[in-house]
Amino acid sequence: MPYVNARGLAMPESAPETGRIAGTAAGNETLQAGAGNVSVAGEGGGDLLIGSSGDNRFWITHLSDRISEQPGGGIDTLTAWSGTTLPANLENLIVNGARNYAAGNDLGNLIVVDDTGSHWVYGAGGDDVLVGGAVQKTTFMVRAGEGSDVIYNFNGNSQLQLHGYGLNTAAQLRSAMHQEGADVVFRFGNGESLTLRNFNMDLIEDRQFLLPLDQTKLGALTFHDDFNSLSIYDPSLQTGQWRADFGGNLKDQWAYTLVTNGEVQAYVKLFNNFNDVLGHARQVGGDVVITYDAANVLTLEDVTLSSLRGGDFLFT
């Protein structure tokens, strides 16, 4: 179906593919789309997918995959099965799988999530069209100064979070809300709008507005940290404020992760980001071994390298 933005224009979508290029399980490959509407898929992880002047569809199956696309290089669509921010110069994003986020870029994006579970959707700059699940909960975030967005499939489970418009209560939000034909339209003081396609304003409940915290209703302050510096606890000296472990035997996996919850999460201070971790990780039998140097080796037992996700690690 055609999706129409706030200016009444149908959002452009990628043409059907005329060819496909796929990587291998080896990973770390550079895959260049040829002429025409060619799709590109990485298979092994760590792949660089490069678009062409046609309408390219990129299929991301691993968090370490990267995309390079030139401005004006057709109408491009990224399809992913993990939380994803749309890279520069790509127009459209499709995210599958429950509990994933989908975020746009500075272009007018068409962003679609499936109906398998809850999602968080943010269009960023441009006049975006955001399509949530038909039944499941989708949380839509909109920021002032980033264009006029349109939402499809807003339903009784959906949530709406607005930033920067000065609307801090449900009553203030309702004062900006109007029924215009089949749509609900929020009209803001800065000239922007937010449209909920094919929805009745009488069906929106206050619980669906994610409002700023009312700090006047909080009790007395019990702890304060500006987090402008990080003081890591050193167990050998018993100095520092924050621990990067749960205590106990620091050589035991239980000291870093809640094993009974099925978590695979380690608190380390050796790496700057997830790609840095992947660069030091290898599969050894049924375990993943992450080696920083001879003195710093972390073994994740009964874990596959392909199952690791950026959210499994916290970086300071």
Side-chain angles (χ1 to χ4, degrees), residues 20-285:
R20 174 175 293 197
I21 295 175
T24 69
N28 294 307
E29 298 172 312
T30 297
L31 305 171
Q32 169 75 59
N37 305 321
V38 178
S39 297
V40 187
E43 300 293 341
D47 298 310
L48 173 61
L49 315 182
I50 303 176
S52 66
S53 60
D55 290 1
N56 301 128
R57 295 177 183 267
F58 299 96
W59 305 84
I60 293 295
T61 58
H62 199 282
L63 287 173
S64 61
D65 289 341
R66 296 156 292 145
I67 294 176
S68 175
E69 176 64 42
Q70 296 300 313
I75 303 301
D76 306 303
T77 299
L78 167 59
T79 299
W81 283 263
S82 60
T84 303
T85 297
L86 198 59
N89 303 319
L90 273 69
E91 288 77 15
N92 301 332
L93 173 63
I94 300 172
V95 170
N96 302 289
R99 297 180 298 279
N100 284 325
Y101 69 88
N105 55 32
D106 289 338
L107 301 177
N109 305 130
L110 171 60
I111 301 177
V112 182
V113 295
D114 67 10
D115 205 23
T116 58
S118 59
H119 294 87
W120 181 89
V121 179
Y122 167 50
D127 295 334
D128 304 302
V129 172
L130 315 175
V131 184
V135 176
Q136 300 292 336
K137 180 176 72 176
T138 304
T139 299
F140 299 96
M141 190 180 83
V142 178
R143 290 186 181 277
E146 294 185 339
S148 295
D149 291 349
V150 171
I151 292 173
Y152 280 80
N153 287 347
F154 194 86
N155 61 60
N157 294 316
S158 301
Q159 295 180 318
L160 186 59
Q161 186 174 35
L162 305 181
H163 293 272
Y165 292 107
L167 304 175
N168 299 320
T169 67
Q172 290 174 341
L173 281 167
R174 291 187 180 279
S175 70
M177 186 169 62
H178 311 276
Q179 189 73 46
E180 299 185 10
D183 304 330
V184 177
V185 181
F186 294 82
R187 298 204 175 274
F188 306 115
N190 66 348
E192 294 176 339
S193 66
L194 173 65
T195 302
L196 312 183
R197 290 274 186 239
N198 302 312
F199 202 74
N200 190 314
M201 63 183 292
D202 294 334
L203 299 179
I204 301 178
E205 301 181 28
D206 288 355
R207 63 174 175 80
Q208 294 180 268
F209 299 132
L210 298 185
L211 302 171
L213 177 66
D214 184 356
Q215 297 188 14
T216 64
K217 296 183 179 180
L218 298 177
L221 184 67
T222 58
F223 177 77
H224 174 74
D225 194 325
D226 289 327
F227 294 99
N228 51 10
S229 62
L230 181 64
S231 176
I232 294 292
Y233 178 75
D234 186 333
S236 63
L237 301 176
Q238 296 187 353
T239 59
Q241 180 69 38
W242 297 98
R243 297 196 68 135
D245 56 74
F246 296 137
N249 182 0
L250 300 186
K251 295 183 178 180
D252 193 329
Q253 187 179 11
W254 286 87
Y256 301 96
T257 187
L258 302 178
V259 178
T260 54
N261 286 358
E263 293 184 5
V264 181
Q265 190 169 78
Y267 298 84
V268 296
K269 297 170 287 185
L270 303 174
F271 305 108
N272 297 317
N273 52 55
F274 182 53
N275 285 335
D276 198 7
V277 173
L278 291 178
H280 290 78
R282 69 186 193 278
Q283 191 75 46
V284 180

